[in-house]
């Protein structure tokens, strides 16, 4: 699990490896202490009374060597983020993954996935990406806001996804008519028919404050031309419906972003 989500508490790990009506925290704590003795896991902070665990680089190499997980972009172990004070956000990402899918498709998640377009200088990290295998290879993008950034910055981060989705690239040999295609469909999500929907999860504050934050975000991204859904972490844990904030609209994106110059 730690190779998928990077950081977790014993309580979170127990929810994955033990029966739903059982408390497996003691078992997990013993197992993690053994892994720590072998240099494969470590703890760098706490969430309340719970230790925050992550795999060491040696632990990640051991998982990779065992071929138990599909290849994924290289990323940190989570230790640096916890030591820098980002433990609560990292745990909120883990909690979102568990609340959205639980044990199902756990190994199909990736965290801290970079999206960048060199030509425009646009670059941002998506907190979590779910790429569930299947005929359509459905991809979902997740941004988790732990209540530490301003509402304006959160809105800008959501608009970054439209800018990313709207960028087009030229294809065709010199001297030919050629044509333009969405960057994401050629170089990132090649098996997806539409730009993956963005799911924004609000956490880190009392629920009535999260609801106000959601309402402010809805107003700030009104008219966005990518699929955006939002909810609070407590609502997600209760399996309540998501609030739609935006709808995928390739035509509108094409009007908003200039076409690349032909060759």
């Amino acid at each position: 699990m730690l190779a998928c989500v990077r950081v977790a508490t014993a309580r979170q790990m127990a929810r994955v490896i033990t029966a739903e009506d059982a408390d497996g925290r003691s078992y997990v704590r013993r197992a993690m202490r053994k892994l720590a003795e072998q240099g494969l896991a470590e703890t760098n902070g706490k969430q309340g009374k719970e230790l925050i665990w992550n795999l060491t680089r040696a632990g990640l190499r051991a998982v990779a060597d065992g071929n138990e997980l599909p290849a994924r972009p290289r990323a940190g172990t989570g230790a640096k983020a916890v030591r820098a004070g980002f433990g609560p956000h990292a745990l909120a990402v883990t909690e979102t993954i568990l609340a959205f899918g639980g044990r199902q498709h756990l190994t199909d998640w990736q965290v801290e996935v970079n999206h960048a377009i060199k030509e425009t200088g646009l670059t941002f990290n998506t907190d979590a990406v779910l790429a569930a295998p299947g005929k359509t290879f459905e991809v979902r993008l997740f941004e988790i806001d732990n209540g530490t950034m301003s509402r304006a910055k959160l809105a800008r981060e959501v608009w970054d996804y439209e800018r990313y989705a709207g960028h087009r690239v030229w294809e065709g040999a010199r001297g030919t008519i050629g044509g333009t295609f969405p960057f994401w469909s050629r170089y990132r999500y090649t098996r997806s028919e539409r730009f993956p929907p963005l799911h924004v999860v609000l956490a880190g504050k009392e629920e009535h404050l999260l609801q106000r934050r959601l309402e402010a975000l809805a107003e700030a991204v009104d008219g966005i031309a990518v699929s955006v859904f939002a909810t609070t972490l407590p609502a997600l844990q209760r399996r309540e419906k998501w609030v739609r904030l935006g709808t995928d609209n390739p035509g509108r994106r094409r009007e908003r972003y200039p076409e690349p110059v032909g060759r």
Side-chain angles (χ1 to χ4, degrees), residues 127-194:
D127 290 320
V129 175
L130 173 61
K135 292 182 179 180
T136 59
F137 201 69
E138 183 180 10
V139 177
R140 296 174 182 268
L141 311 176
F142 288 78
E143 277 292 334
I144 292 81
D145 167 48
N146 208 40
T148 57
M149 70 177 75
S150 69
R151 294 179 178 181
K153 184 178 180 180
L154 174 60
R156 286 196 300 270
E157 289 195 355
V158 174
W159 279 106
D160 278 344
Y161 285 89
E162 187 196 82
R163 287 187 278 273
Y164 185 88
H167 184 66
R168 299 178 69 85
V169 292
W170 181 271
E171 287 192 359
R174 292 184 182 276
T176 64
I177 296 176
T180 63
F181 301 88
F183 173 88
W184 64 269
S185 68
R186 280 295 188 269
Y187 300 107
R188 196 51 186 265
Y189 301 110
T190 58
R191 293 172 59 185
S192 297
E193 295 180 358
R194 290 181 173 273

Side-chain angles (χ1 to χ4, degrees), residues 12 15 90-100 233 236-237:
Q12 289 174 325
R15 286 163 54 189
L91 289 179
V93 173
T94 299
E95 196 63 32
T96 296
I97 290 173
L98 294 177
F100 186 82
L233 183 54
L236 179 60
Q237 292 168 328

Side-chain angles (χ1 to χ4, degrees), residues 116-123 167:
I117 301 175
K118 184 178 180 179
E119 291 80 3
T120 65
L122 177 65
T123 181
H167 184 66

Side-chain angles (χ1 to χ4, degrees), residues 12 17 28 56 59 67 115 123 147 167 190 199 209 239 248:
Q12 289 174 325
I17 66 174
V28 170
T56 61
N67 294 320
H115 291 85
T123 181
H167 184 66
T190 58
H199 298 71
L209 297 177
R239 300 175 182 268
D248 185 68

